Amino acid sequence: MSAQIGETVTITSSTIGLFGRYLLSAGRNHFVSDQRAAAGGPGEAITAGELLLSSLGSCSLGLIQKTAKEQGIALREARTEVTFQRHATDPTQYESIRIAVRLSGVTESEAETLVSGFTSNCPIYNTLKRGGPVEISWTVS
């Protein structure tokens, strides 16, 4: 499911009879998500925070590959590791979100171009960045 500019995308979620377990539907894709065990949920399926991190990882890789293709950059491999730390005193915030990008087969300059292709075009990243401290780094091997 890929949203176009100006397009409205809707994801539905519903409880399914087990406290803390939810059915999420995105178009024809359906999956289960759980509330964290520490919050009283089953904690077996992917959690809301993990979904957020996954969306950043997916958006970063998609836009890095797109930028490489458009710019003729011979990207061999790309990986991201996305982490967050919950705020120590305010449970409604993350203290930090960090995105570590590892790129193979490119120069430092090309890496900067690829990461910029992500950070300047990903609505998930930019929405989060405006709302708090989001940090990104990359390495080249």
Side-chain angles (χ1 to χ4, degrees):
M1 171 180 262
S2 175
Q4 301 300 314
I5 295 175
E7 179 183 0
T8 300
V9 174
T10 302
I11 307 299
T12 61
S13 53
S14 59
T15 57
I16 57 174
L18 173 64
F19 180 83
R21 177 150 294 160
Y22 317 108
L23 176 64
L24 307 174
S25 298
R28 289 183 249 170
N29 300 298
H30 312 284
F31 57 98
V32 173
S33 177
D34 281 353
Q35 186 175 38
R36 296 176 304 123
E44 296 170 352
I46 194 167
T47 65
E50 293 165 337
L51 287 166
L52 174 68
L53 298 181
S54 297
S55 69
L56 280 169
S58 180
C59 194
S60 67
L61 292 176
L63 288 168
I64 285 169
Q65 283 188 321
K66 178 180 185 280
T67 303
K69 184 177 181 181
E70 289 173 353
Q71 299 289 320
I73 297 172
L75 176 65
R76 197 170 38 239
E77 183 182 14
R79 294 174 159 241
T80 59
E81 180 177 282
V82 187
T83 59
F84 67 69
Q85 181 178 353
R86 292 177 84 77
H87 196 280
T89 59
D90 183 353
T92 68
Q93 292 188 57
Y94 293 118
E95 185 77 33
S96 64
I97 297 173
R98 290 184 174 85
I99 305 163
V101 180
R102 181 179 200 103
L103 304 172
S104 296
V106 299
T107 66
E108 283 288 337
S109 176
E110 289 170 328
E112 188 172 343
T113 297
L114 296 176
V115 172
S116 179
F118 157 56
T119 60
S120 62
N121 291 292
C122 178
I124 300 163
Y125 170 82
N126 284 289
T127 298
L128 291 169
K129 184 177 179 194
R130 288 180 193 108
V134 178
E135 180 182 308
I136 185 163
S137 65
W138 64 87
T139 59
V140 175
S141 62

